[in-house]
Amino acid sequence: MNISTYTVKPKLPIPLKPLEEIARNLWLSWNYDAIQLFIRLDYDVWMQSHQSPVRTLGMVSQERLAQAAKDDSYLAALKEVYDRFLRYKKGETWYRGSHKDVVAYFSMEYGMDASLPIYSGGLGILSGDHMKTSSDMGLPLVGVGLLYRQGYFTQMLNADGFQQESYPENDWYNMPVERKNGKDGNPLKISVDLAGRQCTAQIWEVKVGRSSLYLLDTNIEENAPDIRNVTASLYGGDKETRMQQEILLGIGGIRALRALGINPAATHMNEGHAAFLGLERVREIMTEKNFNFEEAREAVWPTNIFTTHTPVPAGNERFDISMVEKYFRSWPQILGISWKDFLGLGRINVNDDKETYCLTVLALKMAAYANGVAKLHGVVSREMWQGLWPGLPMNEIPIGHVTNGVHPRTWVSSGMIELLDRYFGPHFEAKPTNLSIWDRMDRISDEELWRTHERRRERLVAFVRERIREQYKRTGAVERRIQQAEDALSPYALTLCFARRFATYKRGNLLLRDPERLLRLVKDNDRPIQLIFAGKAHPHDMPGKELIREIVHFAERYDVTSRIVFVENYDLNVAKYLTSGGDIWLNTPRRPMEASGTSGMKAAMNGVLNCSILDGWWDEAYNPEVGWAIGHGEQYVDERLQDDIESKALYDLLERDIIPLFYHRGRDGLPRDWIKRMKDCMREIGQSMSFHRTLMDYSNQFYFPALKNYHRLVKDDYAEAKELAGYFAQLKESWDNIKIVRVEANTKPVMQRGDMLTVTANIELGHVAPTDVLVELYHGTVFNHGITNARRTEMKYIGAQDNLNQYQVRVECADTGFQGHTVRILPKHEALIHPYRTGFIKWA
């Protein structure tokens, strides 16, 4: 069938023209007064459109649009919002430098608004907040991702409480995306090779305030049906689909930016999914400069940033060698390296032919800068990947941390934002990097804060009741059961929320371990608690689905369906109600398996107090003034024992501390002590976990240094990279011949504090110049046959004697106790970002 296609846009009266621009920019997703403009047009249409501003404009009748165009009240509101939007786009920002060269941020998913369902959970929400905050700060950053035809699945529970999935198709022409065209007016397209077959993708743009996100889409006529399905669904399909998606994201993403005329001077890989971009950037330099692989890698390495999110080995993307061979057999020839060396880029042990190909390893090897997403996760990541730097002490492994954050104006409820704007003043919106503004929390009266919070709880209860009613109708429940939904929950009871991906390690059922104890709390007429659960299990995760079913069955078995509820299809919209309307945010992962987690931060900024295991972000943010810790950060070998101990600790906290504090009211009916904790929590978490702090950290630690490295490299036409590659080639040739022959010191069995220790190292260097190595004294307290809290002091070259190069240093004996020292050798070159390169460390 031959179908002629064209796009039909809504016909807006001239006074309403700004609505289209606002609808197509996700700035509106964190500006509730902009969303109100679409709700005011037609509330029923707004709900039918699944809260999509673009679709709402297409569904509202022409009569209603004509009415609105003559409504002076509506037009005044539109003018106010549009003027603010224009001021935002042109306003002064934290970053005031050039936008000629950009940091390209690559992520598999982006969660920014319910109207753009291309996210599954935490990773996507984080990427969305990254883009929004980048816009606020005016950073030279663009996002790159994939445009999924079906997005992630919609969750429905059947009558038995078992999760089922459906995959609705996205209609891009009624969503806030715009296809990019070339100068000839035709869609811009790029292509990648998928095992000898060409995969072509078109490019779409999402405007996020001042920033842009570019998404690749393979659902076009040029592609064969199976290639069109590469961007069919997020995390859908099999392992081969994942490989195809990751080639498209990494390699295709770089090519898309080139096609758009954007120079990705630095790249940020958010998780290992985009790791193949390192290979593409190397290929570009090799072609452009006629470099060999090592020279091109040295040109790219200082401008790559990698963030790992996964604290468990199984969560890191690995591919069988047969799969790698199918898709990358031609790449060794392109890069001018052997097949073994190519596979070694994705292996911890390059000589282990049985090791699979890991994208996290590839990303770590291709990036000068790497980080975990919380302080504890940084420690866990260094432990996980220490095999990449054999011989290097754990604390020196070059993986740091930048703790995640959240975008406050997205996640703080509209009612609370109004309150904060009133008391914090205009800088709260205009200068979001001024985090000290949260110190003004004490200006807000207890009455106003509590009244605002209670309204949010009332709205949460009303929202959940409506969702349960719909759920019961869909599963064919009897009328009596549907009417019971009217009574579900109380707008006045202490409300605990547990909402996240339903994976077994997150232990969504921890609170159900002692039914008798829990039911006593739930059924207490004087001081009741109620629980709201939400979250999706991965479609293939049967144990996760069983957890959901267990919660539903528990509520029915003990006849507490009005006090314990499960809200299906957890998404951005549900999350906003829960994180702003609950009283306690519950989080119970097995430490240290939660990399960071951000839902608790969103709750905290709304004054919802956290009760959580000391894991992820809460491990560093917790103090007794802002919430509760379950346990003291212990880690267990016996999981059953751990569940018993930590569930009892949770019941104890509820019975002895949380419930009494919430229900202790003064003569005015206010829980003053609880409100004080809310204020402390909002002040501290608002400052420490704002994404503006996160992005200032990324900028200062990684983005600005990477851009500086780029400008330095291109200034001398990559001569520095060529020189560094030559240096490492020479060092590699001589490394096995370098020996620390003798270490001499003026030590005595007992030294006094303040004594000077002189250490001389006699080293055989072969053909390496004495100035080309870093010789260090590694010294500190000796414990368990190792040196702890070590200091590193560079030793100076003092000359040669008997064909040995001598290095010497004098240090003061500053610490008492059992002390020790040794000597080590590392690479030394002025162009090195850091000296910790795989395979280059020698110990005495």
Side-chain angles (χ1 to χ4, degrees), residues 684-746:
E684 289 196 26
I685 305 306
Q687 290 183 39
S688 64
M689 297 301 155
S690 163
F691 214 109
H692 297 90
R693 186 273 310 151
T694 301
L695 215 38
M696 284 191 280
D697 286 350
Y698 271 116
S699 297
N700 292 322
Q701 291 181 40
F702 304 141
Y703 292 170
F704 298 160
L707 288 170
K708 191 177 175 184
N709 295 340
Y710 171 80
H711 291 130
R712 192 181 68 247
L713 284 161
V714 296
K715 196 175 178 183
D716 65 3
D717 204 28
Y718 295 103
E720 185 184 277
K722 197 163 188 170
E723 186 190 324
L724 196 56
Y727 163 77
F728 273 115
Q730 186 190 354
L731 200 60
K732 191 175 182 182
E733 213 172 88
S734 305
W735 194 251
D736 289 343
N737 298 321
I738 295 176
K739 290 186 180 72
I740 301 171
V741 176
R742 195 168 62 248
V743 177
E744 299 162 338
N746 66 334

Side-chain angles (χ1 to χ4, degrees), residues 413 415-416 419 447-456:
S413 71
M416 192 67 78
L419 184 67
E447 290 82 358
E448 278 193 280
L449 183 63
W450 188 245
R451 197 160 59 240
T452 303
H453 177 65
E454 286 203 304
R455 278 200 298 270
R456 292 311 310 174

Side-chain angles (χ1 to χ4, degrees), residues 27-74:
W27 173 84
L28 66 74
S29 68
W30 69 92
N31 287 275
Y32 188 68
D33 52 353
I35 292 169
Q36 279 286 100
L37 293 173
F38 298 90
I39 295 173
R40 276 180 71 177
L41 279 178
D42 191 320
Y43 178 77
D44 291 335
V45 165
W46 171 253
M47 296 309 290
Q48 288 164 25
S49 77
H50 301 292
Q51 303 184 18
S52 165
V54 176
R55 191 178 284 122
T56 296
L57 289 183
M59 291 169 66
V60 171
S61 69
Q62 286 301 134
E63 290 78 13
R64 175 63 192 117
L65 291 173
Q67 262 180 0
K70 294 174 184 169
D71 182 338
D72 57 351
S73 166
Y74 186 86

Side-chain angles (χ1 to χ4, degrees), residues 623-634:
N623 73 61
E625 279 74 50
V626 302
W628 290 270
I630 304 166
H632 303 282
E634 304 91 344

Side-chain angles (χ1 to χ4, degrees), residues 72-97:
D72 57 351
S73 166
Y74 186 86
L75 293 177
L78 173 57
K79 183 180 186 309
E80 190 178 328
V81 170
Y82 190 56
D83 286 349
R84 199 153 62 81
F85 174 58
L86 295 178
R87 279 199 307 275
Y88 174 86
K89 290 215 298 183
K90 293 172 186 170
E92 196 177 82
T93 60
W94 178 77
Y95 175 80
R96 296 178 195 176

Side-chain angles (χ1 to χ4, degrees), residues 216-457:
L216 298 178
D217 166 28
T218 63
N219 186 27
I220 53 178
E221 289 177 2
E222 289 99 310
N223 291 325
D226 61 322
I227 299 290
R228 292 179 73 157
N229 282 334
V230 170
T231 54
S233 62
L234 172 59
Y235 305 136
D238 55 14
K239 204 73 176 161
E240 189 149 13
T241 309
R242 291 294 289 268
M243 171 66 90
Q244 293 169 340
Q245 288 184 338
E246 285 158 5
I247 289 170
L248 181 63
L249 177 65
I251 297 171
I254 293 290
R255 292 178 185 176
L257 293 174
R258 297 288 181 214
L260 290 159
I262 295 168
N263 177 32
T267 54
H268 182 179
M269 297 168 270
N270 189 42
E271 197 51 286
H273 306 129
F276 292 132
L277 70 80
L279 302 179
E280 174 64 8
R281 295 190 73 202
V282 165
R283 185 199 64 78
E284 282 185 335
I285 298 275
M286 288 178 71
T287 305
E288 186 188 329
K289 299 294 173 190
N290 202 25
F291 277 9
N292 65 32
F293 174 76
E294 293 299 341
E295 290 165 344
R297 180 156 72 161
E298 293 300 341
V300 167
W301 185 78
T303 64
N304 277 344
I305 301 132
F306 169 59
T307 298
T308 176
H309 291 262
T310 315
V312 287
N316 292 275
E317 194 78 272
R318 286 186 174 272
F319 292 105
D320 289 337
I321 298 307
S322 58
M323 181 81 75
V324 178
E325 185 160 19
K326 179 176 178 180
Y327 283 89
F328 284 92
R329 200 63 182 92
S330 62
W331 272 80
Q333 190 178 350
I334 293 168
L335 300 175
I337 58 176
S338 70
W339 177 239
K340 183 179 179 180
D341 285 346
F342 181 83
L343 292 180
L345 293 170
R347 285 172 165 166
I348 294 174
N349 182 354
V350 296
N351 295 313
D352 181 1
D353 291 338
K354 291 180 182 172
E355 188 181 337
T356 52
Y357 195 89
C358 178
L359 292 198
T360 304
V361 172
L362 176 63
L364 285 167
K365 287 187 176 183
M366 297 301 286
Y369 306 100
N371 70 285
V373 288
K375 188 177 180 181
L376 177 62
H377 183 234
V379 174
V380 171
S381 299
R382 289 189 286 278
E383 288 174 358
M384 274 180 71
W385 302 110
Q386 60 182 307
L388 283 170
W389 294 272
L392 195 63
M394 192 82 69
N395 65 322
E396 291 182 82
I397 285 168
I399 302 175
H401 80 274
V402 173
T403 302
N404 285 343
V406 297
H407 185 251
R409 297 191 88 82
T410 293
W411 292 104
V412 178
S413 71
S414 56
M416 192 67 78
I417 279 285
E418 283 173 20
L419 184 67
L420 298 182
D421 277 338
R422 200 158 70 244
Y423 283 94
F424 287 8
H427 284 343
F428 182 48
E429 181 179 14
K431 295 187 177 176
T433 51
N434 175 16
L435 300 174
S436 62
I437 204 113
W438 287 89
D439 287 331
R440 297 182 178 184
M441 273 307 302
D442 288 331
R443 295 182 178 186
I444 302 172
S445 71
D446 288 359
E447 290 82 358
E448 278 193 280
L449 183 63
W450 188 245
R451 197 160 59 240
T452 303
H453 177 65
E454 286 203 304
R455 278 200 298 270
R456 292 311 310 174
R457 195 188 314 111

